[in-house]
Amino acid sequence: MRSSEEFDDERWLDEHAGPLVRPYVMTRGRILPIRGKFDLISLIVTVRPVPMSEVGFGPEHLAIVDLCHEMLSVAEIAGRLDLPVGTVRVLLGDLLHRGFIAVEEPQPEVNMSDEAMYEAVLDGLRTL
Amino acid sequence: MDYGLSERGAGRPKPPIAIKILIAGGFGAGKTTLVGAVSETQPLRTEEILTDQGVAVDDVSGVEGKNTTTVAMDFGRITIKNRFVLYLFGTPGQERFWFMWDELALGALGAIVLADARRLADCFPSVDYFERRGTPFIVAVNCFEGARQYELDEVRLALNLAPEIPVVLCDARERDSGKKILITLVEHAKARNTAPPEKMAGTPAG
Ligand SMILES: Nc1nc2c(ncn2[C@@H]2O[C@H](COP(=O)(O)OP(=O)(O)OP(=O)(O)O)[C@@H](O)[C@H]2O)c(=O)[nH]1
Ligand SMILES: [Mg+2]
């Protein structure tokens, strides 16, 4: 596992890299989160505010921390911040690594043969 | 170290059970419209970055040389009595995006294949994908003005659908129509997944 110090000196892509530069710069060229898997429907919640003294975070990290005071799915964070999902995953990995967020993975198995589950969902849909 | 919610969970309500539903279909079939019509939130767009190999970018070196593109996903949600949250993902149906569906389809309750009544064939790849993957799906025919009126059986025939696959006509702009589609899908998935053993398909195809 890489330490937080290591990812601070990753190289930046230059601006000729085209329209993808922004997302990559935000993640300092990283593709995979240093921690965590982050399914699209994993739920993220902020567990502590980021102190002023914290270094190495960009505005997008802080935006996520702000956004997730209310529990939000990974897909929704990406949509609200208008960032590619892959980028959001990397940022979330940083935040998880330093203990600013908690992750609730989706139930490993929503029991797809549970009749009661379907009935409850159908009931809910009919009364929407 | 674990930051799992359950460990901090004193007094915090259990998070709702997340259920994924996919909305697939050809270009302009009405996917974004449908997600927007039924979602309780503003429909959101999220993007994933792809290379021309049709795989998610996995190596940043030389990104500038690759033919990269982004694929947009629509995203909406419906909360049901704080116990369930249906997450709706609208995705384009072209084959080169299938790698992304693989992630989406994992653990999904089922899929809605939206067909544009003017271009039924555009949804072949989607139908094909879910059939092969064994994901429960239904076909919803979006009846744009000017499209000829189809009989449901005609659609079934044109798409070569098995008799048990539900086909409905819809107007993707109408919330009630969207609700009906969702209900049809959940009923179908329920019948598929809770069917008594003797109703299961016979021997696996060889
Ligand atoms: N008349 C009519 N128009 C519709 C209906 N559904 C969608 N439209 C319109 O058709 C156009 C395409 O709909 P979208 O929801 O953007 O389709 P899409 O599948 O998301 O399209 P792409 O993401 O570009 O593949 C929009 O201008 C919609 O307003 C419908 O049921 N009837
Ligand atoms: Mg769309």
Side-chain angles (χ1 to χ4, degrees), chain B residues 32-158:
Chain B
T32 305
T33 306
L34 177 60
V35 172
V38 293
S39 176
E40 71 198 12
T41 57
Q42 285 281 94
L44 292 169
R45 253 173 83 96
T46 62
E47 299 207 326
E48 200 53 284
I49 298 168
L50 298 179
T51 67
D52 51 0
Q53 277 82 40
V55 294
V57 181
D58 59 358
D59 177 9
V60 72
S61 57
V63 148
E64 62 274 27
K66 279 184 192 155
N67 200 356
T68 48
T69 175
T70 58
V71 49
M73 263 184 311
D74 304 304
F75 169 74
R77 76 173 134 90
I78 301 174
T79 306
I80 292 179
K81 294 172 183 157
N82 289 322
R83 272 188 61 207
F84 301 96
V85 182
L86 303 187
Y87 288 101
L88 310 171
F89 290 97
T91 61
Q94 289 86 335
E95 286 168 50
R96 64 200 169 94
F97 300 135
W98 280 0
F99 81 93
M100 201 175 72
W101 289 14
D102 286 341
E103 178 190 345
L104 286 173
L106 202 69
L109 180 142
I112 295 159
V113 174
L114 253 190
D116 178 339
R118 298 164 302 185
R119 292 172 296 184
L120 276 185
D122 282 8
C123 73
F124 279 159
S126 307
V127 167
D128 209 47
Y129 177 85
F130 295 118
E131 258 174 7
R132 269 193 281 158
R133 207 172 188 292
T135 305
F137 72 97
I138 68 166
V139 174
V141 183
N142 201 7
C143 303
F144 288 87
E145 284 98 28
R148 58 166 287 228
Q149 298 298 301
Y150 279 97
E151 298 294 327
L152 292 180
D153 282 344
E154 260 185 294
V155 176
R156 191 183 299 289
L157 205 65

Side-chain angles (χ1 to χ4, degrees), chain B residues 14-30:
Chain B
K14 243 174 71 176
I17 296 171
I19 295 173
K20 275 189 281 196
I21 290 180
L22 313 188
I23 297 172
F27 183 73

